[in-house]
């Protein structure tokens, strides 16, 4: 991964965070490749800390999107750390699940788009982290699944709620009850994945390109679109429309809306 243009490199033990001013992208990766990036409590805590800190500083940073991926050749994230789960007392299990859920919520509420770029395994907590992103790109070798029942468990980082919303009730139940793997092609057909790529390099280029397309548009409008779609997820269309009308009208107070509409009238490109 090219580090050129990086404005800062935070120090986390299990994460790599590279802010590229040149790309206007934050490259976020889990860096435990020898354990296929399995999520132990420390990794979850660091992800939570990262999203909390970034949320505060992001609006002035000029960044326009996050690409979330896994280090090493084999996995995005192969799930929660089973070695840690095996000895976890129930009260700590509650905390672990809460922290994982908080991370996925922070991702959903993050004011910039997040693209999960998945290669190799995205099992259990890995699939759940990917579902916290705005959308998922994957390589042809990617494997998704919620195999928790094989361990006597259920998904604990939001998967029991989000998967059915993304791929439908029957498919989600089939996957969760069997613990079966879902190939990248099936994940694409199910709508879990938005686009497939031959390899990680092409996928990263694709994610970079889509964020560069977004960066030509109003950041505030994209953040508002994300917010409204997320809030509407739990509502009837009628209640969702109330949120839409309020966000739509709120944007009329922004400089970006003035710039976008003026640029059109003046037959020039908008400068956001
Ligand atoms: N938790 C903890 N460690 C994990 C892990 C997990 N979820 N997934 C992989 N690892 C570790 C392995 O224990 C192994 O460590 P070791 O070298 O110290 O023995 C290392 O990562 C490499 O994994 P390995 O199993 O040797 O790779 P593989 O290519 O043979 O198999 C998987 C890959 C993904 C099929 C297999 O690792 C697996 O089934 N992992 C668990 C997946 C899962 O159930 N996730 C949901 C958890 S809720």
């Amino acid at each position: 991964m090219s580090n050129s243009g990086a404005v800062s490199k935070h120090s986390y033990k299990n994460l790599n965070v590279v802010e590229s001013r040149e790309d206007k992208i934050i490259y976020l990766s889990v860096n435990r490749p020898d354990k296929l990036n399995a999520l132990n409590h420390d990794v979850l805590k660091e992800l939570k800390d990262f999203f909390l800190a970034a949320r505060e500083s992001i609006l002035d940073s000029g960044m326009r999107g996050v690409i979330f991926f896994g280090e090493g050749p084999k996995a995005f994230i192969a799930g929660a750390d089973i070695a840690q789960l095996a000895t976890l007392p129930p009260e700590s299990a509650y905390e672990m699940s809460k922290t994982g859920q908080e991370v996925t919520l922070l991702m959903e509420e993050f004011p910039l788009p997040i693209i999960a770029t998945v290669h190799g395994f995205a099992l259990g907590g890995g699939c759940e982290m990917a579902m916290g992103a705005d959308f998922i790109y994957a390589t042809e070798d990617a494997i998704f699944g919620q195999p928790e029942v094989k361990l006597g468990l259920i998904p604990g980082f939001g998967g029991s709620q989000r998967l059915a919303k993304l791929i439908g009730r029957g498919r989600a139940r089939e996957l969760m009850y069997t613990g079966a793997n879902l190939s990248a092609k099936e994940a694409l057909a199910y709508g879990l994945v938005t686009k497939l790529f031959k390899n990680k390099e092409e996928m990263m280029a694709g994610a970079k390109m889509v964020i560069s397309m977004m960066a030509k548009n109003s950041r505030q409008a994209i953040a508002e679109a994300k917010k409204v779609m997320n809030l509407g997820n739990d509502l009837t269309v009628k209640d969702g429309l109330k949120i839409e009308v309020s966000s739509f009208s709120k944007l009329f107070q922004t400089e970006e809306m003035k710039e976008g509409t003026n640029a059109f009238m003046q037959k020039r490109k908008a400068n956001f």
Side-chain angles (χ1 to χ4, degrees), residues 32-39 74 78-85 121 123-125 145-148 150-151 153-154 181:
R32 279 189 93 202
D34 54 326
K35 296 291 176 193
L36 307 191
N37 302 318
L39 302 169
K74 283 180 72 173
D81 190 320
I82 301 170
Q84 199 168 61
L85 293 182
F121 297 105
L123 298 174
Q146 297 291 164
E148 289 86 349
K150 294 184 175 175
L151 303 168
L153 287 170
I154 64 164
N181 284 343

Side-chain angles (χ1 to χ4, degrees), residues 136-188:
I136 303 173
Y137 281 0
T139 55
E140 287 169 2
D141 75 346
I143 292 173
F144 296 83
Q146 297 291 164
E148 289 86 349
V149 287
K150 294 184 175 175
L151 303 168
L153 287 170
I154 64 164
F157 305 159
S160 70
Q161 305 305 304
R162 288 195 182 95
L163 189 61
K165 287 195 165 133
L166 287 171
I167 66 173
R169 180 183 123 124
R171 287 165 168 171
R173 288 176 190 223
E174 189 182 18
L175 272 179
M176 267 187 234
Y177 298 168
T178 60
N181 284 343
L182 191 70
S183 72
K185 278 201 176 121
E186 288 168 314
L188 181 70

Side-chain angles (χ1 to χ4, degrees), residues 19 23 45 71 77 96 118 129 136 140 202 217 247:
E19 292 174 22
D23 302 342
K45 176 80 175 47
E71 295 291 347
I77 296 169
M96 190 173 188
V118 172
M129 288 296 145
I136 303 173
E140 287 169 2
E202 287 186 16
N217 301 328
S247 278

Side-chain angles (χ1 to χ4, degrees), residues 135-245:
F135 51 89
I136 303 173
Y137 281 0
T139 55
E140 287 169 2
D141 75 346
I143 292 173
F144 296 83
Q146 297 291 164
E148 289 86 349
V149 287
K150 294 184 175 175
L151 303 168
L153 287 170
I154 64 164
F157 305 159
S160 70
Q161 305 305 304
R162 288 195 182 95
L163 189 61
K165 287 195 165 133
L166 287 171
I167 66 173
R169 180 183 123 124
R171 287 165 168 171
R173 288 176 190 223
E174 189 182 18
L175 272 179
M176 267 187 234
Y177 298 168
T178 60
N181 284 343
L182 191 70
S183 72
K185 278 201 176 121
E186 288 168 314
L188 181 70
Y190 279 14
L192 180 62
V193 163
T194 306
K195 235 180 228 173
L196 276 193
F197 296 84
K198 276 205 168 53
N199 53 45
K200 195 171 174 180
E201 200 179 17
E202 287 186 16
M203 174 171 66
M204 296 309 264
K208 190 171 150 179
M209 193 189 75
V210 82
I211 293 179
S212 77
M213 286 168 71
M214 295 174 193
K216 295 193 175 86
N217 301 328
S218 158
R219 182 193 57 72
Q220 286 170 314
I222 293 173
E224 209 59 29
K226 174 169 177 168
K227 194 167 99 189
V228 167
M229 281 190 275
N230 280 332
L231 289 172
N233 214 14
D234 302 322
L235 301 173
T236 61
V237 169
K238 214 169 178 181
D239 286 336
L241 292 178
K242 291 179 195 154
I243 295 174
E244 185 185 78
V245 73

Side-chain angles (χ1 to χ4, degrees), residues 7-21:
V7 289
S8 70
K9 192 164 193 254
H10 304 266
S11 58
Y12 293 97
K13 198 166 144 260
N14 302 288
L15 305 180
N16 288 336
V17 180
V18 177
E19 292 174 22
S20 169
R21 187 182 291 165

